[in-house]
Amino acid sequence: MLDQPASKTELLHHISAERATLMALIEGLRPDAQEAPALADGLSVKDVLAHISVWERRITTAIETAIGDEVPAWPETGATLADVDLLNARDLETHRPDTLAAVLRESRASHDMALRTVESLGEDVIMAAPRWRPSVPLVHMIGANTWEHYREHIDQIEAWLEVRRT
């Protein structure tokens, strides 16, 4: 596991490294394996990738809203972090019918957007706690919705593959 980044450069490295690992793992699977409901709770790799994209978009939207000097709704309007399981269930039902090709396109787009947003921020902004969530440095919020989130699901997919091999 990577240590928490102490700079913007380290954060970008963590995001890139974990994203490369995630995508290599996914791209190493046949399309039918990417779509099989073989993970915990009947999720597919495709479902997981769609889920990650939603959270990349959420953190990007929150940061861009805050840059506009507004207080963002986190994680979204009408929801709090106590609603994460409900949001995830709703998002799963919304994106489950999406094709694998559509999920892969959205994954690239949401990741690129998140990366561009982080790259546009000054290190002082990244390392400080935002006024809309003053108890958590932005670097931790970005990490939770990018590289740490990738790692969580890398571990999930690798565990499934290990069981499948035995």
Side-chain angles (χ1 to χ4, degrees):
M1 182 71 171
L2 298 170
D3 292 331
Q4 281 295 326
S7 68
K8 176 181 176 177
T9 300
E10 284 184 23
L11 174 62
L12 290 169
H13 170 75
H14 285 20
I15 292 170
S16 295
E18 293 298 292
R19 178 63 180 203
T21 301
L22 175 66
M23 295 315 295
L25 185 60
I26 291 171
E27 290 165 1
L29 298 170
R30 293 185 328 268
D32 62 317
Q34 293 177 25
E35 295 184 89
L39 302 175
D41 298 325
L43 296 177
S44 68
V45 170
K46 179 190 82 146
D47 295 333
V48 166
L49 200 54
H51 161 79
I52 289 170
S53 293
V54 169
W55 285 97
E56 286 173 328
R57 292 251 183 223
R58 281 190 176 114
I59 192 63
T60 301
T61 298
I63 291 168
E64 289 174 349
T65 300
I67 289 170
D69 220 20
E70 296 176 42
V71 176
W74 181 251
E76 67 179 45
T77 302
T80 69
L81 289 175
D83 300 316
V84 165
D85 290 340
L86 293 172
L87 293 173
N88 287 341
R90 182 204 64 203
D91 298 339
L92 173 63
E93 292 311 309
T94 299
H95 294 287
R96 186 164 262 165
D98 296 351
T99 66
L100 177 59
V103 168
L104 290 168
R105 274 192 309 276
E106 170 56 18
S107 176
R108 284 188 293 277
S110 65
H111 175 70
D112 289 347
M113 179 184 283
L115 197 56
R116 279 193 312 274
T117 298
V118 172
E119 288 170 340
S120 75
L121 300 173
E123 185 155 352
D124 57 329
V125 172
I126 289 171
M127 301 313 290
R131 68 185 176 92
W132 50 278
R133 194 140 183 250
S135 62
V136 181
L138 189 56
V139 67
H140 295 295
M141 294 180 69
I142 294 168
N145 292 282
T146 58
W147 72 272
E148 291 175 295
H149 203 193
Y150 309 153
R151 173 48 54 189
E152 172 188 350
H153 292 295
I154 289 166
D155 292 346
Q156 178 187 30
I157 295 165
E158 286 177 337
W160 163 62
L161 289 172
E162 186 59 36
V163 167
R164 202 172 122 185
R165 284 185 202 114
T166 58

